[in-house]
Structure formats: structure tokens, C-alpha cells
Amino acid sequence: MRTLARGPLLTLLLLAAAGLAGCGKGGSEQITGGGPTRQLAPVAAQGAVSVATRNTTRLGGADAASDAAAVARAVYPGLTAATRPLVVVLVNERDWLPALAASVLSSAPIGAPILYSEGDTLSAVTRQTLEAMHPLGAPALGGAQVIRIGTSAAVPDNYLTRTVPVGLPTVSAAGIEQLAQTLDAAAPHQVIVLPADAPPALAMPAAGLAAESGAPILLVTRSRVPAQTGTVLDALHRPSIYVIDGAAIGNHTLGELRHFGSVKTITADSSPATGETAVQSAIEIARYTNGSFGWGVKEPGHGLVFANSSRPLDGPASALLSATGDYGPLLLLSRPAQVPPTLASYLSDIQPAYSTPQFPPVRGAYNHGWLIGDEAAISAVTQAEIDSVLEIRPQDRNTEEPSVSQVE
């Protein structure tokens, strides 16, 4: 894969970052959004970066709170009523599985961004982002503007809250699904099932899939389907059940799941959980499709989200990018400074192409990548490499010309 020189690229990135930082200075901005004039925090959240190349946009910073804040502000700048969320989900960053299950709340029609608290404390970047988005309030929750999951962190004055206590992960996941039904007023027809002890890197892509599909994430163990999970499945009247990491669940639990609905396994790798295993599993999830369910990303013309497998909270943090804009599945890198060969091969398979003069590039399909986190998560050189393989290119004369359906 072609690699750009580090020096010139870093110069461009620093210039872009400096420009964004300049846009964020000057204190709060007075705007009107179809209602009373009010003060909003700067658009560029402190501690976050946003660097763009031709085909990629980097959002986030050095930690999960900054990453979540940057994603939330990209989707909800909060400058008009239409760019303010109904409700914001605030999750304790110490509760990984409830955070993962909360990803379904980012799906349509809820579209809730996920922010992180530090236990019962809000970081500056989380508070600033929450104030800037100024959620409208969800009528189905009595006008609640913030859903707190596993935290009692104080939110800005006069914000209405709904608190979801956190207990056993299986109980928390079931409770979040019940809350999602209250907000959506419609029961889902599909669910995503994971083992409760799944390695976080393998579970990360489930966040984007839940946000895109509206399918809740439920948890099981190798030995059984827990009572709380079974209650939810039974109430959904034989939903389609999609299993991630089926080998870790085991045949006994898979058999129990079949009593509640049809079961299909998306990934079933029995090899030890490593960074490369997580990379491959994310690709399988991105490719998977069954009827109307699943990404089915096997051709050009898609959004893609990239995160480092060592930062699991970036899965829920970026889930909103899977449910809005260009709707991208989450793909993983195992090292900041390397595009794994399996990922490079997949991106090459779906790289856009055009054939002139019949199909010029302006009639082509395009890919766009969202990169989550700072250079400790994904290096600048890696961003450049990803950018190159997402760029639309001339069609190889030795391959078939693109069909009209591919480029129109």
C-alpha cells in the first residue's frame, strides 16, 4: 500500500488542527435556533481534534470521553433545533457492557449520542459538549434530556434526567432494551446476542450494528440464557437472533436460543482472541447480510468507521456514525501505525473505481472514513494510507467496467 511522507503530512495535519483550534476560541457564541437567543459552548470541544483529508475525517482525542464528545458534536452541532438531539445518553465509562448495550439508543428514531462520565463526575469535555448540544427532551420519557446509565453525575441545571441503574450486565442490557422500546414505541424484530464475557475488541463492532439496525444487544453465558435475557426474547415473539462470537457461546446456549427464535451466527471464530482476530471479526460483521439485516458492505460507496481495538469504549462512542450521515460499520486496527493486511485487502476490494470516458469519476461511488481518536489510536501515516485506499481510482483495464448500478 502506498505511504505518504510523514513530514509534509504532519505539517498539513498541524495546520488543519490549528485552524480548528482557532475556530473554537473566543468563548461562547450567541446564536438563535428558532427560539430564544442563548449561549452555546464553542463548536470545537476542548481536548478533541478534527483533521480531514480527501476521504477521511478524524474525530476525538486521547481518551474515550473526548472521542465521544467529538462524534456527538459532529452529528449534533447544536446550532439549530434540527441539530440538537432529543436526548443524550450519559454512561459511566467504567461500565463497558452497559455502554455497549446503550449503543442501540443511537439508532433511529432515537438518535441519541453517547457521552461518558468518570464514575459520578463529568469531565470538562463531556460537560461542555452536553451544554452545547442542549438536548430538546424526549416526550416518551416525560421530557427527559439526559439518560444516565450507571452514574449519578450532576448534569447542567434544569436538565431533566432519567436514571438507569446498573447491576449484572445481563440485567442492564435487558433494562436498556426496555427503555429503547419506550422511546421507539415499536418492538424490534431482530436482536444481537453476545457472550457476556466476550473480549471487548470482538464485541466492539456490535455497537455500530445495533445503532444501524435498531436491534438491541442482549447477553448470554456459555452455560445458559439468563432469565432476564429470556424474558426480553420471549416478549419479542420469536425474533431473528444474530449471534456474534458463536464459538464462545457454545452449542448448549445456542440450542436454548433456538427456543426463542431463529438463530444465525455472524462470527464464530474459535481461535484465541487477538488483535488480528478482532480485525477479521469486524470485517465479517461489515460484510454480513441476511435479508434486510446487516451491513452487506461488499462494494464501493459506503461510510466506514475506524477505531483501535485496544480502546473498546470507542465502539459505543462512535455508534452514532453508524446511524446517521453515511452510515458506516466499525472496522478495527490492532496497531496505531499499521493497516492490518486483512483490512487492507478488504478496503482494496471495496475501493471505488471509474472508467473514462463512459463513466467519469463524477458519476462514481465514493467511500468515506471516520477515524476515531488521536495519533496514539491511529497514526497520521495510517490515516494517509487509509485515505489513499478509499480514493476513487481509474478502472484497471484488465477488470470489468463498472455497471451502471455501481456508479449511478
Side-chain angles (χ1 to χ4, degrees), residues 7-382:
L9 176 69
L10 285 179
T11 300
L12 289 172
L13 296 185
L14 289 171
L15 287 173
L20 285 165
C23 292
K25 291 181 180 179
S28 59
E29 179 183 4
Q30 190 170 5
I31 63 147
T32 59
T37 301
R38 60 188 180 83
Q39 295 289 323
L40 288 181
V43 171
Q46 182 180 1
V49 296
S50 181
V51 177
T53 64
R54 297 168 301 176
N55 306 292
T56 68
T57 306
R58 182 189 294 268
L59 296 173
D63 53 36
S66 296
D67 296 346
V71 169
R73 295 306 306 280
V75 177
Y76 293 112
L79 302 177
T80 66
T83 58
R84 291 164 56 192
L86 281 178
V87 65
V88 173
V89 176
L90 183 64
V91 188
N92 186 344
E93 65 183 10
R94 300 167 187 167
D95 293 319
W96 153 243
L97 286 174
L100 181 68
S103 301
V104 72
L105 300 175
S106 293
S107 66
I110 307 165
I114 292 176
L115 298 178
Y116 291 121
S117 71
E118 300 170 352
D120 292 330
T121 302
L122 292 188
S123 65
V125 69
T126 296
R127 177 173 288 277
Q128 180 192 44
T129 302
L130 184 55
E131 291 176 343
M133 289 190 295
H134 197 70
L136 297 165
L141 296 181
Q145 296 161 283
V146 179
I147 299 171
R148 298 186 296 193
I149 299 178
T151 179
S152 58
V155 299
D157 291 343
N158 301 320
Y159 275 26
L160 297 178
T161 63
R162 170 72 69 91
T163 300
V164 179
V166 166
L168 291 173
T170 53
V171 177
S172 299
I176 289 168
E177 158 52 16
Q178 291 167 354
L179 178 66
Q181 285 195 45
T182 300
L183 284 163
D184 190 2
H189 301 293
Q190 303 96 11
V191 298
I192 300 165
V193 169
L194 292 164
D197 60 351
L202 289 179
M204 285 174 69
L209 184 59
E212 183 274 335
S213 65
I217 295 173
L218 298 175
L219 303 172
V220 297
T221 70
R222 177 177 286 274
S223 62
R224 65 190 180 93
V225 175
Q228 298 82 5
T229 301
T231 298
V232 173
L233 290 173
D234 196 46
L236 295 179
H237 305 294
R238 301 197 62 78
S240 298
I241 301 170
Y242 295 92
V243 174
I244 294 177
D245 200 9
I249 290 178
N251 291 329
H252 178 76
T253 301
L254 287 174
E256 284 194 7
L257 285 172
R258 292 188 181 98
H259 293 298
F260 296 99
S262 63
V263 176
K264 293 184 174 18
T265 300
I266 300 177
T267 66
D269 198 318
S270 59
S271 61
T274 65
E276 297 307 315
T277 305
V279 171
Q280 180 60 41
S281 179
I283 294 171
E284 291 177 20
I285 292 170
R287 286 184 178 275
Y288 183 83
T289 184
N290 180 57
S292 62
F293 180 85
W295 291 106
V297 176
K298 305 172 186 176
E299 69 290 307
H302 296 280
L304 304 165
V305 183
F306 298 87
N308 191 304
S309 63
S310 68
R311 293 169 63 156
L313 287 170
D314 283 353
S318 63
L320 195 59
L321 298 173
S322 298
T324 189
D326 48 20
Y327 294 82
L330 180 63
L331 299 171
L332 298 176
L333 294 89
S334 54
R335 298 179 184 87
Q338 181 189 37
V339 178
T342 52
L343 179 58
S345 176
Y346 173 63
L347 295 178
S348 294
D349 287 345
I350 63 171
Q351 184 172 13
Y354 65 94
S355 176
T356 56
Q358 184 180 6
F359 298 109
V362 294
R363 295 183 61 198
Y366 300 93
N367 290 342
H368 175 262
W370 296 97
L371 277 63
I372 308 301
D374 61 8
E375 283 202 60
I378 302 174
S379 74
V381 171
T382 299

